Amino acid sequence: MTRGVQDDPQAVLFDMDGTLIDSERLWFEVETEVMELLGGVWTHADQENLVGGNLAVASAYMVERSGTSVPPGEIGRRLLDGMVERMRTNVPLLPGAKELLTGVRAAGLPTALVTSSHRALLEPALDGIGRDHFDLTLAGDEVSRTKPDPEPYLTACARLGVDPVRCAVLEDSPSGLAAAEAAGCRTVAVPGVIALAEAPGRTVVASLADVDVPFLRSLFA
């Protein structure tokens, strides 16, 4: 039987950090540097606590963790500056990311990049990922409530003019998955820094290399 377009996802939405790009190790470098300036020590356990979070959450966590008197806003600025500097010279794509983005684009499926990172970080990252892969990009400082709230994904779907229930989302963090699932989307979990469990409407894969357009279509069959 020939598949119809009604069997396709109406759109494919991608998280960025830890899903498309190997930025978690860059974040760890920057967080370690900033914590050292604050007189503290940063561990991988600390990073795990922040996976999928936003700059405000990270800054507040570092204030509490270090006991510093440095304002959270200043810590956030240092974190953002350190990441922007790295992204301008190195945007490391994760295995399978380039092939998946190219395949989804070739299939004519609408796409969006939905990230908790600020626009200042998203812009240099897009230079490395490829802007032409996306119909829409939405940064964490462009919504009122960030992940795990569903607002980012609901906003992206509304701007694309698609039904969230007919959209596939690729995420690497519990907060990102919670946001997408609360929006009603089907999710593909790609574990990175932390393990992710199966859940209703969610499929766990080893990496993006396991995902292609037929795989995404099978989520809606």
Side-chain angles (χ1 to χ4, degrees):
M1 180 180 294
T2 302
R3 292 182 58 90
V5 293
Q6 69 273 13
D7 298 319
D8 283 347
Q10 289 186 359
V12 182
L13 294 81
F14 298 88
D15 172 53
M16 184 176 76
D17 292 290
T19 300
L20 288 177
I21 61 175
D22 186 16
S23 54
E24 295 300 344
R25 64 181 175 85
L26 302 182
W27 274 112
F28 185 76
E29 291 176 8
V30 174
E31 289 159 353
T32 299
E33 290 175 1
V34 171
M35 184 59 84
E36 286 177 352
L37 290 173
L38 299 176
V41 176
W42 195 250
T43 69
H44 286 288
D46 291 314
Q47 186 186 33
E48 289 179 10
N49 288 332
L50 296 179
V51 170
N54 58 55
L55 202 60
V57 170
S59 302
Y61 180 90
M62 296 183 88
V63 167
E64 180 178 359
R65 182 80 168 76
S66 65
T68 185
S69 60
V70 176
E74 173 63 17
I75 294 173
R77 185 192 64 77
R78 292 181 183 181
L79 290 170
L80 188 59
D81 287 350
M83 282 299 294
V84 169
E85 181 180 356
R86 283 166 171 78
M87 285 291 187
R88 284 175 177 160
T89 58
N90 180 30
V91 181
L93 287 171
L94 283 163
K98 181 178 180 180
E99 294 79 5
L100 178 58
L101 288 168
T102 300
V104 169
R105 209 56 168 155
L109 300 175
T111 56
L113 183 61
V114 183
T115 178
S116 293
S117 290
H118 286 202
R119 175 61 63 174
L121 180 55
L122 175 56
E123 286 300 312
L126 282 171
D127 290 335
I129 299 170
R131 298 171 184 274
D132 58 332
H133 290 302
F134 307 104
D135 297 298
L136 168 74
T137 61
L138 185 65
D141 55 342
E142 296 170 342
V143 293
S144 299
R145 298 176 298 278
T146 58
K147 306 171 187 178
D149 192 276
E151 181 184 343
Y153 283 112
L154 291 174
T155 299
C157 289
R159 292 182 183 178
L160 288 173
V162 296
D163 182 355
V165 174
R166 295 293 303 174
C167 292
V169 171
L170 294 99
E171 275 278 1
D172 76 307
S173 71
S175 64
L177 290 165
E181 289 160 3
C185 304
R186 299 289 178 89
T187 56
V188 179
V190 191
V193 174
I194 56 179
L196 300 170
E198 297 274 358
R202 178 192 304 176
T203 304
V204 180
V205 298
S207 77
L208 291 182
D210 296 328
V211 183
D212 56 14
V213 172
F215 176 95
L216 295 171
R217 285 174 171 154
S218 73
L219 301 177
F220 300 90

